[in-house]
């Protein structure tokens, strides 16, 4: 029973729940970024570079059999090894966009967390006994 209790305490901790929510939202956000890259950005980049489709950039590493269309999907289904560098370019663009978005989010959160500049600290109040001793000293100095 001790291990179950320990596990329950671990699972209920706020950090674990925050992590779970973060992973779920991150997965959904990753799909949004994938769609932005694949459906919006890469077609524009392809248009800029002469209607180039990055997903079909590859090099066939084996022999090309007869009757198999020269598309990435067809070659993969036929079991022919291909060096699909176009997919890598797409994933790299995905990563750069996602990293930039996360950077901007963290930057904004840090900006919001910053507190207003604190007023200059005042010296702590002198204890009463020290204040009385100073008055006595000053009084004796005046008489001397």
């Amino acid at each position: 029973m001790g291990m179950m209790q320990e596990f329950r305490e671990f699972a209920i901790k706020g950090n674990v729940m925050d992590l779970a929510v973060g992973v779920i939202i991150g997965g959904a956000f990753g799909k949004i970024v994938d769609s932005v890259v694949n459906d919006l950005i890469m077609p524009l980049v392809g248009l800029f570079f002469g209607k180039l489709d990055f997903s079909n950039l590859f090099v066939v590493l084996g022999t090309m059999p007869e009757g198999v269309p020269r598309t990435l999907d067809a070659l993969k289904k036929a079991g022919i090894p291909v060096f699909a560098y176009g997919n890598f370019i797409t994933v790299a663009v995905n990563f750069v966009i996602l990293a930039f978005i996360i950077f901007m989010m963290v930057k904004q959160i840090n900006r919001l967390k910053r507190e207003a500049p604190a007023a200059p600290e005042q010296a702590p109040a002198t204890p009463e006994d020290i204040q009385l001793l100073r008055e006595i000293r000053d009084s004796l100095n005046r008489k001397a």
Side-chain angles (χ1 to χ4, degrees):
M1 191 69 163
M3 188 164 125
M4 289 302 290
Q5 180 67 23
E6 240 181 287
F7 177 74
R8 182 176 172 272
E9 288 176 14
F10 169 77
I12 294 177
K13 283 185 182 175
N15 292 341
V16 174
M17 296 306 289
D18 292 344
L19 180 63
V21 169
V23 167
I24 291 168
I25 290 176
F29 190 69
K31 289 180 182 180
I32 291 171
V33 171
D34 281 342
S35 176
V36 167
V37 169
N38 292 330
D39 301 332
L40 302 177
I41 294 174
M42 292 312 273
L44 293 175
V45 171
L47 179 67
F48 179 73
F49 286 109
K51 297 185 181 183
L52 192 60
D53 182 13
F54 284 101
S55 63
N56 281 320
L57 292 178
F58 59 89
V59 175
V60 179
L61 299 176
T63 57
M64 186 71 182
E66 296 293 323
V68 177
R70 192 167 170 83
T71 63
L72 184 60
D73 288 336
L75 291 169
K76 283 186 175 184
K77 285 179 185 174
I80 299 167
V82 291
F83 186 72
Y85 64 93
N87 282 339
F88 175 76
I89 292 171
T90 302
V91 170
V93 170
N94 249 353
F95 172 76
V96 169
I97 292 170
L98 187 60
F100 179 73
I101 291 170
I102 290 173
F103 168 74
M104 294 304 292
M105 287 173 46
V106 169
K107 185 175 177 181
Q108 290 301 317
I109 289 170
N110 287 341
R111 186 179 63 83
L112 292 174
K113 281 185 178 180
R114 260 187 239 134
E115 296 178 15
E121 284 190 35
Q122 297 177 358
T126 307
E128 188 177 338
D129 56 345
I130 302 279
Q131 187 65 32
L132 287 172
L133 288 171
R134 285 181 182 167
E135 288 176 13
I136 292 171
R137 179 196 66 200
D138 293 342
S139 175
L140 289 173
N141 283 338
R142 276 185 254 148
K143 290 182 181 180

